[in-house]
Each structure stands twice: as structure tokens, then as C-alpha cells.
Amino acid sequence: MAYWIKINYDRSNYIIDLDRISAFAAAPHGKITFWLPNSVHQIIINQQSDPEGYQEVLDYVNQVSANSLSGAWIRLSYERNEYVIDLNRISSFSHSPSGKLTFWLPDSSIPIMINEQKDSDT
């Protein structure tokens, strides 16, 4: 089932199905970033730029990360951001002999690199 919202970003209106988004990043100062499906175009919203759209995205992120039936959503802290990622949409991982695990966020070029010593729970 689609979860469509309308947001205003960069002087344009976007109509987005949030169910198609595979990763969200929340910065400490309240900024939420996500990447449009099938592109590397990112949308960055905050409370000041689009209060209604921001709240809709925030509510959606909290909903899917708390009780998603259709995905394997996880939360992890990485480089001062909190990421909410659907692991079902990750298509490749790299594991080095030193214990570093790397995967790339879908629809973006951002690698997430974690290791057992620093991020044992993740």
C-alpha cells in the first residue's frame, strides 16, 4: 500500500511514495535526508523549510522503525547521524579481514562502514 505525501523542497513540490524510500538519515539539528527511488537525488527537509512535510516524514520513519511488517528496518548511528534503513533493500555487503562491514545505501552512493569493535550491537 502506498504512503504518498506532498513536500516542498528547493522551490518545487514533490509527491513521494514514502513506502518506496529505503533509507532515512536524521541529523542532530533536526534535518531529515532521504533519497528518491531509482536516483541519487536527495531530499533534505527540516522543521523550518516545510513543517507539515517534515512531520509526515518523521511520523512515517517512527512508524516503520517501530513496527514494520513488510521490512527489516534498523536504526544505527553513523557519523553523527541516525540512519533508519530497510535491510531488505540492501543488495551488497563487503566484509574485510579486519572485521569491517560495508554496505551501500540504496538509491545513493553513500557507503556505511561499521566494525565489530566500535559498533558491536549494529
Side-chain angles (χ1 to χ4, degrees), residues 49-63:
S49 65
D50 184 359
E52 291 174 18
Y54 176 84
Q55 191 61 48
E56 286 184 87
V57 171
L58 185 61
D59 291 346
Y60 179 83
V61 169
N62 289 331
Q63 174 191 340

Side-chain angles (χ1 to χ4, degrees), residues 6-7 13 27 32 35-36 38 46 78 88 100 107 112:
K6 178 181 175 183
I7 62 169
N13 288 317
I32 297 175
W35 296 265
L36 295 180
N38 303 316
N46 61 39
Y78 181 72
N88 285 333
K100 181 173 68 172
D107 303 318
I112 302 290

Side-chain angles (χ1 to χ4, degrees), residues 15-26:
I15 299 173
I16 302 166
D17 179 4
L18 290 180
D19 283 341
R20 298 279 318 265
I21 306 299
S22 55
F24 299 87

Side-chain angles (χ1 to χ4, degrees), residues 24-35:
F24 299 87
H29 56 281
K31 173 180 77 169
I32 297 175
T33 303
F34 59 90
W35 296 265

Side-chain angles (χ1 to χ4, degrees), residues 81-102:
N81 289 323
E82 182 175 352
Y83 286 85
V84 178
I85 304 164
D86 184 356
L87 288 180
N88 285 333
R89 299 187 196 179
I90 303 295
S91 58
S92 61
F93 293 88
S94 170
H95 186 260
S96 71
S98 66
K100 181 173 68 172
L101 180 67
T102 303

